[in-house]
Amino acid sequence: MIVLGIETSCDETAAAVVDDARVIHANVVLSQIEEHRLYGGVVPEVAARSHLEHADSVIAQAMQDANMSFKDLDCIAATTGPGLIGGVLVGAMSAKAIALASGKPFVAVNHLEGHALTVRLTNDVPFPYLLLLVSGGHCQLLICEGVGQYKRLGTTIDDAAGEAFDKTAKMLGLGYPGGPLVEKAAVGGDAKRFNLPRPMKGRPGCDFSFSGLKTSVRRAVETLDGSLGPDATRDLAASFQLAVAETLVTRTKNAIKMAKDIHPNIKHLVVAGGVAANQAIGTALTELAEKSNMSLVKPAPALCTDNGAMIAWAGLERFRLGHSDPLDFKARPRWPLDPDAPSAAYAGAKA
Ligand code: KG4
Ligand code: ZN
């Protein structure tokens, strides 16, 4: 079974071809970083226009890299949400057009399910597993029980972890995108110099909050009153990174307990999304997994951040269970993986 997957929900125009033997035949990712850098963040209108301009050539490149034509495919999958709706529409319409023209089925993929299932493409992890999804738009803990079967244990009540990295980078004058720049700036820094809060510490459950941490970073910058030299930047970046790592660990620790109550033999803790690329966070989560008698599984960084292979794979997993979708399937800006999940600790939580 061979599937083309198209991803356009944020700031990467991506297309990939994967098969059911878990071989990635092509994986083309065109980043829009340069187009958004000027604004210090992703501008939805700029993103949508850029997807429109580049989707055709990215898809053509993926087919060329795979040395295949559309007739070799079993189905065409695309992200149909959640995400920036202008971009989502471009990818979904491209996939539907290819499906119509080639007479192949179309599979609508939830972007979050793409992240959730990547580890079955890269590491063949069996269900059930606990997933910490930490990206620029999402920060959630979910039990993945099967394709289309997710129990959300916790989510963020305000910012996502990646968003907090991006905003911190901005305050420290490091640029965009923030995560990798904060990580780089933190090397050799004194993570104890700034006493930043550990949001939600000691609270039951595993919801997250990062806006208070962000405010504390801003206060620390203000207190330095213009004297944010290289030493303070390094120490503040390190202090912030440690605060995020410890917060992710304590909340995930609670989630492990909750998951083990439901599935006593659950073995794998999976971390996915762009923030999973962070080494310090990876090390802290590996320690937690070991202490909890679980193993941490982390897809390669290139498959942790947005890409087409994760969408192709999620489409493949759905298609081989008999799912495909009509060409009038509507794109969804919001689309929780677990529609029955209670909302987070406060109103206004992100789905
Ligand atoms: O999964 P992703 O590529 O896109 C979304 O779906 O959001 O995640 C991007 C996010 C950004 O906020 C970026 O700053 C963060 O992941 N990120 C990192 C690192 N690399 C990317 N955060 C911390 N450390 C990193 N090394
Ligand atoms: Zn993503």
Side-chain angles (χ1 to χ4, degrees):
M1 188 178 285
I2 303 174
V3 181
L4 167 68
I6 300 170
E7 158 59 35
T8 53
S9 68
C10 192
D11 59 343
E12 267 97 21
T13 312
V17 178
V18 306
D19 71 21
D20 56 351
R22 300 171 39 233
V23 175
I24 301 175
H25 294 269
N27 191 20
V28 181
V29 180
L30 183 71
S31 167
Q32 302 175 355
I33 283 177
E34 289 311 322
E35 285 153 271
H36 298 291
R37 196 188 297 280
L38 189 63
Y39 308 98
V42 178
V43 183
E45 186 63 19
V46 173
R49 281 171 195 275
S50 183
H51 286 305
L52 194 57
E53 206 171 304
H54 300 293
D56 284 359
S57 57
V58 166
I59 294 166
Q61 185 66 50
M63 296 309 295
Q64 193 183 323
D65 289 358
N67 200 14
M68 288 179 198
S69 65
F70 294 141
K71 70 175 180 350
D72 298 315
L73 303 170
D74 287 272
C75 65
I76 293 98
T79 299
T80 48
L84 301 174
I85 196 67
V88 171
L89 283 168
V90 171
M93 289 305 288
S94 306
K96 288 174 180 179
I98 296 167
L100 187 66
S102 61
K104 307 282 179 177
F106 165 70
V107 183
V109 172
N110 181 315
H111 178 83
L112 302 175
E113 184 161 44
H115 280 302
L117 298 178
T118 300
V119 75
R120 290 168 54 78
L121 165 66
T122 56
N123 301 67
D124 209 8
V125 173
F127 296 118
Y129 52 89
L130 178 64
L131 171 73
L132 170 64
L133 175 58
V134 268
S135 70
H138 302 278
C139 191
Q140 312 193 347
L141 278 152
L142 299 143
I143 307 177
C144 304
E145 298 181 326
V147 176
Q149 295 175 329
Y150 305 94
K151 269 200 182 77
R152 195 179 75 195
L153 302 178
T155 185
T156 182
I157 61 171
D158 41 54
D159 292 350
E163 212 172 340
F165 266 98
D166 292 336
K167 288 175 179 168
T168 293
K170 212 169 184 177
M171 289 186 272
L172 295 178
L174 295 173
Y176 167 84
L181 296 170
V182 171
E183 178 167 24
K184 203 165 152 220
V187 174
D190 176 3
K192 302 234 158 67
R193 173 163 167 200
F194 293 93
N195 187 18
L196 301 176
R198 306 294 188 254
M200 310 292 274
K201 194 173 176 187
R203 297 241 198 138
C206 59
D207 286 330
F208 297 93
S209 165
F210 289 102
S211 75
L213 179 56
K214 181 185 66 188
T215 307
S216 301
V217 172
R218 195 178 55 233
R219 284 216 193 93
V221 172
E222 283 164 5
T223 310
L224 288 163
D225 199 18
S227 61
L228 185 70
D231 286 358
T233 300
R234 194 183 57 202
D235 294 344
L236 193 45
S239 303
F240 166 78
Q241 185 171 263
L242 181 67
V244 175
E246 286 188 6
T247 301
L248 293 176
V249 165
T250 53
R251 304 313 280 166
T252 306
K253 196 171 167 187
N254 283 4
I256 290 175
K257 277 198 205 102
M258 293 159 84
K260 284 190 173 178
D261 281 344
I262 303 170
H263 299 285
N265 294 322
I266 195 162
K267 284 274 170 303
H268 294 99
L269 170 62
V270 175
V271 55
V275 182
N278 185 287
Q279 296 279 340
I281 290 172
T283 307
L285 290 169
T286 304
E287 262 170 42
L288 170 68
E290 278 167 9
K291 277 190 205 147
S292 314
N293 249 335
M294 294 178 85
S295 35
L296 184 85
V297 192
K298 200 169 83 166
L303 294 172
C304 276
T305 51
D306 291 350
N307 64 86
M310 72 186 210
I311 302 307
W313 178 257
L316 188 151
E317 290 238 43
R318 291 183 61 73
F319 188 66
R320 71 181 171 190
L321 291 175
H323 299 293
S324 65
D325 296 282
L327 293 182
D328 62 357
F329 188 97
K330 289 209 169 34
R332 304 171 179 180
R334 285 189 156 231
W335 186 3
L337 270 187
D338 176 3
D340 301 328
S343 53
Y346 301 97
K350 294 187 175 181

